[in-house]
Amino acid sequence: MVGEGSSCVRRGPQRPEHHPPIVAQKKMTRALSLRSGRNAGKSTITVTAEDISTNSGFVELAFRAQKLDDKDVFSKSDPFLELYRVNEDQSRQLVHRTEVVKDDLSPKWEPFKVSLNSLCSGDETRPLKGLVWDHDARGKHDFIGEFTTTFAEMQRAFRGGQAQWECVNAKYKRRKRHYKNSGVVILAELKCSRVHSFLDYVMGGCQIHFTVAIDFTASNGDPRNSCSLHYIHPFQPNEYLQALLAVGEVCQDYDSDKRFSALGFGARIPPKFEVSHDFAINFHPEDDRCEGIQGVVQAYQRCLPRVQLYGPTNVAPVISKVARLAEAEERTSEASQYFILLILTDGVVTDMADTREAIVRASRLPMSVIIVGVGNADFTDMQVLDGDAGVLRSPRGEPALRDIVQFVPFRELKSASPAALAKCVLAQVPRQVVEYYSHRGLPPRGLGAHTQDSRSGPTP
């Protein structure tokens, strides 16, 4: 180790004044010290801070060159290209170094992909500098020439079919009277793409539709008994309500009408007391939605004394019911509605084959399934539905298009705060939303297509 130094990015309330924050200075140089406290000779370290614009875009670039100077005596040059971003203090930051093309004065380098933040700090007018070298195995590369441009200029030139720059060696230009250039560098390919975020879709008007499905099977115990998972305690919510409140409170912020579908499964329901696996807990089958999360809670509490807990634990019907709504959204070809199904259950599902089939079909739809296991049952088999261990397949062998299931055993989060519980349960949903719409090629509403035109560059 040469030495060490310390500072902070921003000043906190307990930060001493002799440690100025980096962002306050833009550029900070510190002497390096040994662990004994003495200075490490004259060694220093300089840290530079810059504000960058928020830009989630990427660009794919490919360069080639023609008629480069030959730097080798017995063969041709082995050129490679370095692309640098010029910082505010005029220092340079390497963005990309291409591979070496052996023995070729008109090389074609492989395409590369880089974020716009890395390329130009999100500022398309920021200067970029390209340096072309002749590779030397001993590390003493010979300088061929350089050019300067900006990303904005690259785009204009590429669209106009004139994306090429003279590669100039300043030393030769000063010394040689008739010197023109040391070759030409050509932008052969430019393709822009934006990676949209979950927030982009929400801000674009995508509504998150939340449905909860509650297990009313007999294995939960008699709701009148304090040992039952459905027991309504006068002062403390049961596990079903704790999970429902934690997740629902977050989801309702993304739903404009704050009305949530609430379903039950595994119970005998009035008036004929036949077993149902997708009944509305408000007993209005034509409109199973409740007003806000508190409306769901009230419907659940009123439902308990009216139904007979029974079985089995079949969840495929509720998955299929929500999937039918998601199918209608899929046909709109807009990023306008996404569906989240929260299943609260106390045991392993008994219709595993049908559930796998339903999930595989739903993986092609704007839909996510969250399963929260309440109680102390062995939920090992439930991990099969969560695609973390491998791609879920239907009984027929058809693979899920994407992982849409998150399984969470509630007992592992019993002592967590409601915010921590919601964060864990909903952790994968933003990625799943983006993954679905990206796969469909659908940007947030109000935005254009993901990708600009990409084609071959000009030939001089």
Side-chain angles (χ1 to χ4, degrees):
M1 185 183 75
V2 177
E4 62 184 21
S6 65
S7 185
C8 61
V9 177
R10 296 186 184 274
R11 187 183 309 285
Q14 306 301 321
R15 184 66 62 177
E17 290 299 318
H18 62 273
H19 285 294
I22 295 171
V23 296
Q25 303 183 85
K26 296 291 187 182
K27 187 173 183 179
M28 181 190 71
T29 300
R30 282 284 183 84
L32 291 178
S33 59
L34 302 174
R35 287 178 177 169
S36 63
R38 293 183 292 110
N39 285 345
K42 296 182 180 180
S43 301
T44 62
I45 185 170
T46 299
V47 180
T48 303
E50 285 190 11
D51 293 326
I52 62 173
S53 65
T54 302
N55 195 320
S56 56
F58 284 82
V59 60
E60 185 173 318
L61 302 170
F63 289 93
R64 60 188 179 93
Q66 286 193 341
K67 299 179 181 180
L68 295 176
D69 284 352
D70 192 351
K71 295 290 184 177
D72 295 337
V73 178
F74 299 108
S75 63
K76 296 177 182 178
S77 295
D78 305 322
F80 67 93
L81 169 69
E82 292 180 331
L83 187 63
Y84 287 87
R85 176 184 75 234
V86 180
N87 296 321
E88 291 176 347
D89 62 355
Q90 300 307 304
S91 63
R92 296 188 304 202
Q93 175 67 45
L94 180 66
V95 173
H96 181 77
R97 180 182 290 115
T98 70
E99 77 284 4
V100 176
V101 178
K102 291 286 188 179
D103 199 27
D104 195 338
L105 301 182
S106 296
K108 294 181 180 179
W109 293 292
E110 290 293 323
F112 61 93
K113 191 173 184 179
V114 64
S115 72
L116 285 178
N117 282 337
S118 296
L119 179 66
C120 57
S121 298
D123 177 5
E124 297 187 5
T125 63
R126 173 166 298 221
L128 304 173
K129 190 173 286 288
L131 279 68
V132 181
W133 301 84
D134 173 31
H135 181 266
D136 184 275
R138 295 169 297 177
K140 296 182 178 180
H141 310 307
D142 295 319
F143 179 63
I144 294 178
E146 66 181 12
F147 65 94
T148 301
T149 184
T150 66
F151 182 57
E153 182 186 53
M154 281 184 180
Q155 294 178 91
R156 287 195 303 270
F158 188 81
R159 286 193 293 267
Q162 300 294 323
Q164 60 184 55
W165 297 269
E166 290 188 340
C167 189
V168 176
N169 188 318
K171 183 174 71 174
Y172 289 175
K173 190 172 184 179
R174 288 194 304 269
R175 293 180 180 178
K176 295 183 179 181
R177 184 175 179 181
H178 299 292
Y179 174 80
K180 185 177 180 182
N181 59 54
S182 295
V184 175
V185 175
I186 301 162
L187 179 59
E189 184 178 317
L190 184 153
K191 184 164 62 177
C192 293
S193 59
R194 179 174 179 187
V195 179
H196 299 293
S197 68
F198 173 68
L199 186 59
D200 290 332
Y201 285 102
V202 171
M203 296 299 289
C206 183
Q207 293 293 307
I208 305 299
H209 290 279
F210 177 65
T211 299
V212 60
I214 301 173
D215 183 342
F216 286 95
T217 57
S219 57
N220 286 281
D222 187 340
R224 295 168 296 184
N225 189 318
S226 61
C227 296
S228 171
L229 292 170
H230 279 305
Y231 179 67
I232 303 299
H233 194 284
F235 306 114
Q236 181 179 346
N238 61 35
E239 290 188 11
Y240 280 96
L241 287 176
Q242 288 179 52
L244 171 62
L245 290 168
V247 178
E249 291 287 353
V250 174
C251 288
Q252 71 179 359
D253 290 335
Y254 299 100
D255 194 319
S256 59
D257 65 7
K258 304 291 189 292
R259 302 191 72 208
F260 304 123
S261 296
L263 305 174
F265 59 92
R268 285 176 165 173
I269 63 172
K272 296 182 180 181
F273 284 91
E274 296 175 341
V275 177
S276 175
H277 295 291
D278 60 352
F279 63 92
I281 66 173
N282 64 1
F283 295 101
H284 296 298
E286 69 283 354
D287 185 6
D288 57 23
R289 293 177 297 173
C290 303
E291 297 293 338
I293 290 302
Q294 287 305 317
V296 177
V297 171
Q298 292 169 8
Y300 164 70
Q301 292 173 334
R302 291 169 184 162
C303 174
L304 273 172
R306 297 183 62 185
V307 300
Q308 180 186 350
L309 274 56
Y310 203 71
T313 309
N314 291 350
V315 300
V318 292
I319 296 174
S320 297
K321 187 167 188 171
V322 176
R324 286 193 290 273
L325 299 173
E327 283 175 355
E329 160 64 12
E330 184 187 33
R331 290 191 287 270
T332 66
S333 297
E334 271 195 329
S336 57
Q337 296 183 89
Y338 193 89
F339 296 81
I340 297 175
L341 171 60
L342 172 65
I343 299 175
L344 305 174
T345 179
D346 81 318
V348 177
V349 300
T350 51
D351 62 339
M352 184 63 79
D354 290 342
T355 298
R356 286 164 53 200
E357 184 74 40
I359 290 171
V360 169
R361 288 199 303 267
S363 70
R364 288 159 171 75
L365 303 173
M367 177 175 169
S368 293
V369 179
I370 301 166
I371 304 175
V372 176
V374 299
N376 296 314
D378 182 1
F379 293 112
T380 304
D381 290 346
M382 299 291 276
Q383 302 293 344
V384 175
L385 302 178
D386 192 322
D388 292 346
V391 177
L392 177 69
R393 293 181 180 272
S394 73
R396 298 177 290 108
E398 181 184 0
L401 182 65
R402 56 195 183 93
D403 177 16
I404 65 167
V405 177
Q406 167 81 340
F407 173 72
V408 179
F410 183 80
R411 59 173 172 259
E412 295 181 4
L413 297 163
K414 251 185 177 181
S415 59
S417 66
L421 174 61
K423 182 178 180 181
C424 180
V425 172
L426 296 169
Q428 295 184 16
V429 170
R431 175 186 60 79
Q432 290 168 352
V433 171
V434 172
E435 194 176 64
Y436 171 76
Y437 288 119
S438 296
H439 177 77
R440 293 282 315 280
L442 297 176
R445 291 194 298 177
L447 296 181
H450 278 67
T451 307
Q452 295 180 6
D453 183 38
S454 173
R455 61 185 189 275
S456 300
T459 303

